[in-house]
Amino acid sequence: MPVPGRLLKEGENLLQIRIRADSERRAGLSRVTIGPATPVRTALFEGAYAWRFTGSVLLTAFSLIVGSIALALWFTQVDTGATGRRQRDALYFWAAVAEFCWALRVADAMIPEPPLPWQLWGVLMAGCYAGWAASAMMFCYHLADWVQSPRTRWVRWPTAAVVVGTVVFTWLALNREEPRWLTAWLAVEITIVLGFVAAFAVATVRRPSVERLLVAGAALVTVAFGTRDWLVIRLSDAYGETTWVRYSSVMFGVALLLIVLRRFHFASVQARGWVKTLADRVAQRERELASTYAELEEVARDQARTHERERILRDMHDGVGSHISSAIRQLQSGQTSPEELLRTLRDSLDQLKLSIDSIHLPPGDIGALLAALRYRLEPRLAAADIAFEWGVDELPPVTQLDAHATRQLQFLLFEAISNVLQHAHASALRIEADARDGAVRLRVIDNGVGFDAAEVPEALSKRAAAIGARLAIESRPGRTVVQLVFD
C-alpha cells in the first residue's frame, strides 16, 4: 500500500501489521517487505500472485473441464454386459469425482471469505482433499482390473478409511485447535496411499500397458509431492511455502485425457473393423442370396416349363386326343360319312393350332384371343360356305382371367363355333364383343336351325363356371346367341 512521505519521520517510524490467521488454514503467508512500490510489486507481489491465485484459477478450470469430460463419458458410454444389464464404466465415474473434489479444493485459494463457518469449511476442504485421493485410488483400482479378483476387493476399505479418517481428525484438530491431530493423520494417510500406489506400480510392472504406466507415473510423483508438502508445511514454520500437490495433480488429469483419447481411438478402430466385418458379411450374404435366388429362379423356370408341358399335354389329351378318338370310333363303326370324318379331323387340327396359339396369348387380353380365333377358323367357315361377320370393339383387359382361364375361354369359344360348323346348318356367323357399364360381353351368333336352349351343352357350362363368366344362351330357328359376360 502507498505510504505518504510526510508521515515518515526519522527515528519515529513504527509500522504495525496485524495478521488474523484461521487455525489450520496454513500456507500462503510470506515475510513483510518494505520498499518502493514498483520494485516490491513487480518483483515480489505480482509473481507470487500469479503463482498462487492465477495458477489456482487455471488448475480449477482444468480440473472442471477434465471432470466434466469424464462425467459425460460415464453417462454416455453404456455397455450391455453378459447378463444383459446395461452397465457404465466406473473408471470414468471415479475420475470425474476426483477432478471435481480437487477443483473445489484448489478453489479455496480464491475464496477470501468462506460461505460456511470456518470449522465446517475446513472439514469440507480436507474432505475434498481426501475425496480426491480416495477417488484417484478407486480409479487405479478399476484400471488395474482388481475389481475382477476377489483377492483384491479388500483394497476398497483403505480408500474409505482415507475419507472417514480425514473428516474425523480434521474436526478434532479445528475444534480443539491442536494441529497435531491432523498432522498425525496425514502421515497415516500418506502411508496408506503410498502402499496402494506401490501395489499398483507392482501390478503395472507385471502387466504393463500405456494407460497403467501413465497413471502409475502420475501417482508416484503425486505421492512424492504430498510427502514433501507434509514435511515442509505441516512439520516446519515455512508459512510462505505453498503446496506442490496442486500442480502435480495436473499429471493425473493429463493421464486421464490421454487414456480417453487412446480408448476413443481404439473404439474408433474397433468400430471401423466391425463395420468392415459387417460389410464383408453382408456382401457374403448378398452373394449367397443371389446364388440362392438364381437357383430358385432356375427351379421356377423348370417348374414353369414342366407345367406348360403338362398343360399342353392335357389340352392335347382333352381336345385333340378326344377328336382323334372320335375319328377312330367313326372309322371303326363304318357308318360315318367322309364329310363327318373330315370335319372331326379338322376340329382336331384346329384344336391343336389353338393350343399352340394359347402359349403366346397375354392373360386377360380377350381382343388378342378373338383375333387368333378368327385367324384359325375363318378359312373353315369360308370352306363351309358360312359368311363371317366381325363386330369386336376395343376391349380392356379382364383381370380375373389368368393364363389358364384365358385358355379355357379360348376352348369354350372354339366349342361354340365348332357346334355351329357341325350342327347348326347356318349360312352366317357373327362374333361380337363390347365393354359397357364395367362388364365385358362376348357373343357368338348364327342363323342356323337352333336347338333347345333349356339343354345347355355341358362342356360350355363347365368351362364358363371355371372362368367365372355368366353364360346365357338364346336359341330359335334362324337365330342362336351364346353370350358370356365378365363383370
Side-chain angles (χ1 to χ4, degrees):
M1 65 180 67
V3 179
R6 58 184 177 81
L7 297 179
L8 299 177
K9 296 180 181 180
E10 186 176 356
E12 297 182 6
N13 299 317
L14 176 61
L15 179 62
Q16 187 178 21
I17 299 175
R18 296 182 180 274
I19 297 176
R20 177 184 177 272
D22 293 314
S23 177
E24 296 306 321
R25 199 175 190 185
R26 304 186 58 161
L29 298 178
S30 61
R31 66 175 58 90
V32 177
T33 302
I34 300 176
T38 300
V40 170
R41 177 176 293 275
T42 303
L44 300 176
F45 174 75
E46 291 183 356
Y49 183 83
W51 179 256
R52 297 171 187 268
F53 186 83
T54 308
S56 297
V57 172
L58 295 177
L59 288 175
T60 301
F62 178 78
S63 295
L64 288 176
I65 292 173
V66 175
S68 299
I69 294 174
L71 188 63
L73 290 173
W74 182 73
F75 271 115
T76 57
Q77 302 299 313
V78 182
D79 296 327
T80 302
T83 59
R85 298 177 57 186
R86 295 170 61 85
Q87 299 175 347
R88 291 185 171 88
D89 194 344
L91 191 76
Y92 298 127
F93 173 78
W94 290 113
V97 173
E99 291 299 326
F100 287 141
C101 286
W102 193 248
L104 184 57
R105 177 66 185 88
V106 174
D108 178 51
M110 302 178 292
I111 304 175
E113 294 295 333
L116 299 175
W118 169 240
Q119 286 79 5
L120 294 179
W121 183 256
V123 172
L124 177 61
M125 291 298 100
C128 288
Y129 182 89
W132 168 75
S135 299
M137 292 168 65
M138 290 301 299
F139 179 87
C140 297
Y141 175 77
H142 286 277
L143 185 62
D145 288 332
W146 287 345
V147 69
Q148 305 295 335
S149 175
R151 295 182 302 173
T152 54
R153 291 182 181 178
W154 61 269
V155 177
R156 295 175 294 180
W157 295 109
T159 60
V162 167
V163 178
V164 175
T166 300
V167 172
V168 171
F169 283 96
T170 302
W171 179 260
L172 289 175
L174 292 178
N175 278 274
R176 297 185 179 185
E177 295 187 356
E178 295 179 356
R180 64 177 181 272
W181 289 99
L182 183 55
T183 301
W185 169 251
L186 289 178
V188 176
E189 181 179 327
I190 291 174
T191 303
I192 294 174
V193 174
L194 181 60
F196 182 91
V197 171
F200 180 76
V202 172
T204 301
V205 172
R206 289 179 177 176
R207 290 195 303 166
S209 67
V210 175
E211 297 179 353
R212 294 178 182 178
L213 289 173
L214 287 172
V215 175
L220 290 172
V221 172
T222 302
V223 170
F225 282 10
T227 304
R228 176 264 173 195
D229 292 343
W230 179 77
L231 293 173
V232 172
I233 295 177
R234 303 301 305 185
L235 297 182
S236 69
D237 294 331
Y239 289 98
E241 293 292 336
T242 186
T243 58
W244 287 10
V245 171
R246 67 173 60 198
Y247 303 108
S248 67
S249 64
V250 177
M251 298 179 62
F252 179 76
V254 171
L256 173 62
L257 287 178
L258 291 176
I259 290 173
V260 171
L261 291 176
R262 284 180 56 83
R263 291 196 172 190
F264 179 78
H265 176 71
F266 175 75
S268 300
V269 173
Q270 192 176 42
R272 287 195 295 269
W274 288 341
V275 170
K276 184 179 182 303
T277 301
L278 182 61
D280 293 340
R281 291 183 179 180
V282 170
Q284 181 181 357
R285 293 300 182 188
E286 288 179 348
R287 290 192 294 271
E288 293 176 357
L289 288 174
S291 176
T292 303
Y293 287 148
E295 294 176 359
L296 291 175
E297 289 178 356
E298 183 64 27
V299 172
R301 286 193 293 269
D302 291 341
Q303 290 179 346
R305 288 192 290 267
T306 301
H307 292 161
E308 187 64 19
R309 286 193 290 267
E310 292 176 352
R311 194 272 304 172
I312 293 173
L313 291 174
R314 184 170 57 251
D315 291 345
M316 292 181 65
H317 176 270
D318 296 339
V320 179
S322 63
H323 285 91
I324 293 177
S325 297
S326 298
I328 292 173
R329 287 194 298 271
Q330 290 173 352
L331 287 173
Q332 289 176 343
S333 66
Q335 301 177 359
T336 302
S337 64
E339 291 79 6
E340 292 179 350
L341 180 60
L342 181 61
R343 189 164 48 247
T344 300
L345 293 175
R346 282 178 174 172
D347 285 346
S348 175
L349 181 60
D350 291 336
Q351 185 83 30
L352 178 60
K353 292 177 180 179
L354 290 174
S355 296
I356 296 173
D357 291 341
S358 66
I359 297 176
H360 306 289
L361 284 178
D365 192 346
I366 296 179
L369 183 151
L370 294 175
L373 196 67
R374 175 183 180 180
Y375 173 75
R376 293 299 182 187
L377 297 181
E378 191 172 13
R380 282 194 62 188
L381 294 173
D385 293 329
I386 298 177
F388 181 74
E389 299 178 5
W390 181 260
V392 178
D393 298 337
E394 185 175 354
L395 301 175
V398 180
T399 56
Q400 71 189 68
L401 293 178
D402 56 10
H404 177 70
T406 301
R407 290 192 295 271
Q408 292 295 322
L409 175 61
Q410 183 188 51
F411 297 150
L412 188 155
L413 294 173
F414 174 76
E415 185 75 20
I417 296 173
S418 179
N419 288 337
V420 174
L421 288 170
Q422 294 183 29
H423 310 295
H425 304 291
S427 60
L429 184 143
R430 177 177 177 83
I431 295 180
E432 295 181 351
D434 58 59
R436 290 179 297 174
D437 302 327
V440 176
R441 295 176 176 82
L442 304 179
R443 287 177 292 275
V444 178
I445 305 170
D446 69 85
N447 61 352
V449 298
F451 63 95
D452 186 3
E455 297 181 0
V456 179
E458 184 177 358
L460 296 183
S461 61
K462 285 185 177 181
R463 291 186 186 275
I467 62 177
R470 289 189 287 114
L471 174 66
I473 296 178
E474 173 190 347
S475 182
R476 66 177 184 274
R479 180 176 175 83
T480 298
V481 180
V482 176
Q483 178 176 268
L484 293 171
V485 181
F486 295 94
D487 296 322

